Each structure stands twice: as structure tokens, then as C-alpha cells.
Amino acid sequence: PLPEAPPPDPEVPEAELVADAYRRATASGPRCFTIGPLATLVQQSRAEDRLRPFATQLRLRTTQADRDRGWWVFVSAPSRSGAIALARRLAERGVEDYFVVADADLPDAVSLGLFADLANARRRLSSIRRLGFDAQLSIRREEIPQFWIDYQIDPGTRSPWRFILRASPGARNFEIPCF
């Protein structure tokens, strides 16, 4: 048998789990959630229509995210006239599918293709390098909007968030501080 524990010291506060304290604090007041990212404005609008009857407040917002768009094969040139001369040399070597880039990100280059599949991009890269050109391979990224809905519900109210998530692959619903 273990010895009996001494009585608690009234001067020392009792330990309390943060989760228990939070549940007790929010049990009587409104709770706030966010749902997203939703891929389109249409999805956001449909989700808003589903949430509106249950929410005491709604806030729509948009964020930006980077997305991989595929692979780009290209050859850089020292100048615009150099890119045009490079395109001429590529054509002389039998390369038919190319484009002289007029883009602020890489203004002096010749594009040799955008590829969704990395294996195809590597094949193109190898074929151009075999012709003696210093081809490069880079990932293409784009910024895309992501749509969110922040909403507040009263205690005891259940929102239809599960239906929204079923219709919006990749979206999540989680609790946030109230706004």
C-alpha cells in the first residue's frame, strides 16, 4: 500500500488543462470558425448560402497561394537581339516549337515548351542540349486566389460545414478566435 497523500495546500492554485478552460469559457459564448480554402467564388457563394441561416456573423475573405503550374524548358540569351539570333539557330538545327519570350521575368530567352509532365520536360531538355544549346528547366508557378468564410455561431448551434467540405475538396473547417 502507498502512503496517503498530504492534503492540498490552499495557497497553491490547482492545475487546469488549457483545453478544459477554453471549453468552459466558450460554452456560454459564441464560437467562431473558418472554412476554406475554397477554389472558386462560386464555391464561396454556395457555402455562404448554406451557412447564413446558422451564423450570427459572416466574413468573406480572399488570400493568395502559389501553385505549381508545370515545367518550362528555355534557353537564355544576353539580349533581345541575342534571343532572336538564338531562335534562328534553333530553327537551323531543326527545332520547330519555340517562342521568343517577351516577358518581364525573363525578357531575353527562347521558350522551348511548357510541360505538365516532368518526364516530357526532361526529354525536351535533353534533346535541346544534345543539339549544343544550354537549355534550362524550371518550375512554373502562379499565384491563385483562395476563398474563405469566417463565421460565428451561438452556443448549441450546429453549422452545415460537413456538407460544404464534401462539395469542396481540400477545404477545412476549424475554430478561430472570434472577430
Side-chain angles (χ1 to χ4, degrees), residues 107-122:
D108 303 321
V110 177
S111 177
L112 297 159
L114 297 174
F115 300 87
D117 182 67
L118 179 58
N120 290 340
R122 285 184 173 153

Side-chain angles (χ1 to χ4, degrees), residues 168-179:
S168 307
R172 302 177 323 267
N173 183 73
F174 51 93
E175 196 159 357
I176 60 171
C178 280
F179 48 96

Side-chain angles (χ1 to χ4, degrees), residues 4-17:
E4 204 169 298
D9 183 347
E11 299 295 315
V12 176
E14 270 188 56
E16 181 178 28
L17 292 175

Side-chain angles (χ1 to χ4, degrees), residues 64-80:
Q64 297 294 318
D66 283 339
R67 178 177 73 178
D68 295 348
R69 190 173 163 211
W71 302 91
W72 183 32
V73 178
F74 65 95
V75 179
S76 292
S79 65
R80 179 81 175 149

Side-chain angles (χ1 to χ4, degrees), residues 72-117:
W72 183 32
V73 178
F74 65 95
V75 179
S76 292
S79 65
R80 179 81 175 149
S81 60
I84 293 168
L86 179 60
R88 215 175 358 261
R89 289 198 326 269
L90 284 162
E92 289 167 1
R93 301 293 306 265
V95 177
E96 295 177 356
D97 188 14
Y98 61 86
F99 177 77
V100 177
V101 178
D103 186 346
D105 291 338
L106 195 59
D108 303 321
V110 177
S111 177
L112 297 159
L114 297 174
F115 300 87
D117 182 67

Side-chain angles (χ1 to χ4, degrees), residues 118-168:
L118 179 58
N120 290 340
R122 285 184 173 153
R123 275 194 289 282
R124 177 68 162 175
L125 178 72
S126 295
S127 71
I128 299 299
R129 284 184 173 172
R130 278 195 303 273
L131 295 173
F133 297 96
D134 184 24
Q136 309 285 317
L137 176 68
S138 73
I139 194 160
R140 294 275 297 178
R141 294 189 185 277
E142 66 182 349
E143 224 177 57
I144 58 166
Q146 293 183 321
F147 304 96
W148 299 81
I149 301 176
D150 301 334
Y151 63 99
Q152 179 178 300
I153 56 173
D154 286 331
T157 303
R158 293 176 52 128
S159 78
W161 63 267
R162 284 181 181 85
F163 297 108
I164 297 167
L165 293 187
R166 262 188 236 130
S168 307

